């Protein structure tokens, strides 16, 4: 038994509140490279479980497990809703991406992915660069989002989808999708958030930006004339749209009552801490673009790309995220429910048609 496993109480694993219908959860430890990781495969009904690998300095293994379980379930729904023939999975590596991560550690992770015989396919997520994925690809062929497998870094496609999703949200709330003069608060200026900010800037939006990593903030201020705010205040500022592009659970009982924007539409996975937070947004008249619907551009690029790249097809499918969101918003209005409930129902309808919910 490895050290990571032994630090999680037995019951805390099997009775974990986020443990659902997960098919396989693997705890990984590699002494030589310092790798501690969890790989969660949620559902393979529609195909092999595809989902990114996150490197993050979790406070304890239980938090890492929570993230892996939630994110892998989210991938099942994301892939189903995006019309991909893929199941849902996710990996988390417990390490500080700026201090602890090494090529050897990523290679060790690749060897563990390879042991899963293609039931899990890995890719980039928070804290992982295209170079890291090249290291993983030296050890397993079950990796996407590298130059060799297609279009490389999926983040620009995620950003394109988020931008189209923001436009669809603006159209639903304000009657047209014009972003000229709209004020947008972007929280998190990483691979996706910075690109979303750039697109918004080019579309004429006024930007308010925040990140815990100061250099990214300074760059956005300089390049986009953005106003910088404390990351903890990003959701509170006066804006038309709040765009969370950092980590999950940012929409919760404390933050939802403080939001002043009419729309929440961003890339972060698992933005709602609980379903009640989605209901609270609806009650406050704030339109929420379900995270896994709006941020599917990256996984679309990973899933549909072919070696050599077929950018036009991937872009077309990614731009269509705006149309999917328009359908979700219409249905939510008609059924007097929340957009995330409609997105779940649409994903489950597809899984049901394939023989399983
Ligand atoms: P990234 O690591 O490149 O960027 C994340 C940024 O958020 C970093 O700059 C980090 O400093 C910042 N950050 C962390 N905590 C913060 C806080 N409390 N306040 C403000 N900023 C904070 O990651 P990314 O690839 O840009 O992904 C961003 C989000 O989008 C994540 O939730 C990820 O799961 C999700 N997502 C990414 C992709 C993709 O293609 N990269 C696809 C789908 C979803």
């Amino acid at each position: 038994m490895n050290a990571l496993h032994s630090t999680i109480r037995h019951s805390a694993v099997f009775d974990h509140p986020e443990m659902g219908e997960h098919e396989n959860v693997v705890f990984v430890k590699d002494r030589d490279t310092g790798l501690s990781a969890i790989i969660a495969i949620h559902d393979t009904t529609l195909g092999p479980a595809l989902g990114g690998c996150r490197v993050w300095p979790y406070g304890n293994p239980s938090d890492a497990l929570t993230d892996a379980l939630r994110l892998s379930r989210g991938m099942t729904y994301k892939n189903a809703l995006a019309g991909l023939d893929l199941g849902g999975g996710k990996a988390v590596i417990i390490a500080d991406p700026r201090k602890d991560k090494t090529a050897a550690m990523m290679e060790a992770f690749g060897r563990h992915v390879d042991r899963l015989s293609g039931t899990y396919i890995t890719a980039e997520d928070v804290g992982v660069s295209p170079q890291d994925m090249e290291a993983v690809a030296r050890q397993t062929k079950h990796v996407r989002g590298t130059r060799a497998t297609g279009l490389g870094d999926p983040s620009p496609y995620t950003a394109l989808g988020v931008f189209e999703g923001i436009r669809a949200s603006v159209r639903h709330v304000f009657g047209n999708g014009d972003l000229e003069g709209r004020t947008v608060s972007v929280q998190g200026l990483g691979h996706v958030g910075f690109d979303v900010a750039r697109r918004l800037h080019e579309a004429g939006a006024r930007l308010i930006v925040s990140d815990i990593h100061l250099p990214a903030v300074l760059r956005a201020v300089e390049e986009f004339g953005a106003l910088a705010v404390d990351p903890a205040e990003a959701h509170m500022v006066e804006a038309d749209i709040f765009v969370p592009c950092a980590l999950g659970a940012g929409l919760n009982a404390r933050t939802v009552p403080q939001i002043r924007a009419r729309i929440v539409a961003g890339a972060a996975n698992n933005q709602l801490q609980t379903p009640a937070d989605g209901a609270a947004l609806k009650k406050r008249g704030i339109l929420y673009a379900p995270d896994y619907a709006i941020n599917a551009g990256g996984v679309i690029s990973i899933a549909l790309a072919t070696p050599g790249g077929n950018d036009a097809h991937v872009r077309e499918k990614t731009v269509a995220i705006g149309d999917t969101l328009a359908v979700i918003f219409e249905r939510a209005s008609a059924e007097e429910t929340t957009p995330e409930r409609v997105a779940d129902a649409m994903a489950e309808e597809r899984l049901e048609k394939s023989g399983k919910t």
Side-chain angles (χ1 to χ4, degrees):
M1 184 183 294
N2 65 47
L4 172 60
H5 195 177
S6 61
T7 58
I8 303 175
R9 279 183 306 115
H10 182 270
S11 63
V13 175
F14 288 100
D15 302 341
H16 193 285
E18 298 296 340
M19 187 71 82
E21 302 292 305
H22 292 77
E23 293 176 9
N24 193 11
V25 182
V26 181
F27 296 85
V28 168
K29 184 96 180 159
D30 184 81
R31 202 170 300 160
D32 291 343
T33 62
L35 171 72
S36 293
I38 302 171
I39 303 172
I41 296 176
H42 176 256
D43 189 287
T44 56
T45 303
L46 297 172
L50 173 68
C53 167
R54 174 172 295 192
V55 178
W56 195 251
Y58 295 97
N60 60 67
S62 185
D63 290 349
L65 178 61
T66 300
D67 226 18
L69 294 174
R70 289 189 62 161
L71 291 166
S72 58
R73 180 179 181 276
M75 287 309 299
T76 298
Y77 280 74
K78 185 191 296 198
N79 292 340
L81 186 70
L84 303 171
D85 294 329
L86 290 163
K90 200 89 182 184
V92 298
I93 295 177
I94 305 170
D96 185 328
R98 293 199 173 92
K99 285 194 223 141
D100 310 328
K101 194 179 60 178
T102 60
M105 181 187 278
M106 298 310 292
E107 285 181 0
F109 172 69
R111 286 192 289 279
H112 284 280
V113 169
D114 205 57
R115 285 184 180 182
L116 297 169
S117 310
T119 51
Y120 170 63
I121 302 170
T122 197
E124 267 190 56
D125 191 51
V126 175
V128 172
S129 68
Q131 289 80 354
D132 296 328
M133 275 301 129
E134 301 293 346
V136 175
R138 288 197 283 275
Q139 302 297 327
T140 180
K141 65 178 195 303
H142 305 300
V143 48
R144 297 286 182 278
T146 60
R147 276 274 153 215
T149 57
L151 294 162
D153 181 9
S155 306
Y157 297 93
T158 306
L160 172 63
V162 169
F163 178 73
E164 292 298 331
I166 290 171
R167 291 213 311 184
S169 307
V170 168
R171 201 172 295 122
H172 188 79
V173 169
F174 299 110
N176 72 65
D178 194 359
L179 291 162
E180 183 79 44
R182 295 267 172 230
T183 303
V184 189
S185 173
V186 181
Q187 183 186 46
L189 296 165
H191 289 96
V192 178
F194 200 88
D195 209 14
V196 172
R198 182 182 55 76
R199 287 178 179 280
L200 290 165
H201 171 66
E202 286 167 3
R206 295 194 311 122
L207 285 174
I208 298 170
V209 296
S210 53
D211 196 296
I212 52 171
H213 187 54
L214 191 61
V217 176
L218 296 176
R219 215 180 120 203
V221 168
E222 192 179 312
E223 289 186 26
F224 312 139
L227 179 73
V229 294
D230 186 308
E233 289 173 11
H235 64 286
M236 297 184 204
V237 297
E238 185 118 25
D240 297 304
I241 311 144
F242 172 46
V243 181
C245 292
L247 297 189
L251 304 174
N252 52 50
R254 181 182 60 82
T255 59
V256 169
Q258 299 171 330
I259 294 173
R260 290 157 87 182
R262 292 281 310 277
I263 294 166
V264 178
N269 277 310
N270 295 330
Q271 291 172 37
L272 297 169
Q273 190 164 48
T274 70
D277 301 311
L281 283 171
K282 180 176 183 298
K283 204 167 167 198
R284 290 206 53 218
I286 299 168
L287 183 72
Y288 170 64
D291 44 17
Y292 68 80
I294 193 171
N295 71 16
V299 81
I300 289 170
S301 86
I302 288 167
L304 302 182
T306 49
N310 48 344
D311 175 71
H313 177 54
V314 169
R315 289 178 78 84
E316 187 186 314
K317 290 279 181 199
T318 303
V319 167
I321 286 173
D323 302 334
T324 303
L325 279 169
V327 170
I328 290 172
F329 295 148
E330 286 299 319
R331 193 166 147 183
S333 298
E335 296 175 9
E336 292 180 14
T337 185
T338 58
E340 64 278 12
R341 285 224 175 112
V342 172
D344 281 0
M346 285 167 65
E348 282 162 8
E349 283 157 17
R350 180 152 183 247
L351 285 163
E352 238 168 72
K353 272 194 206 142
S354 305
K356 190 178 165 191
T357 42

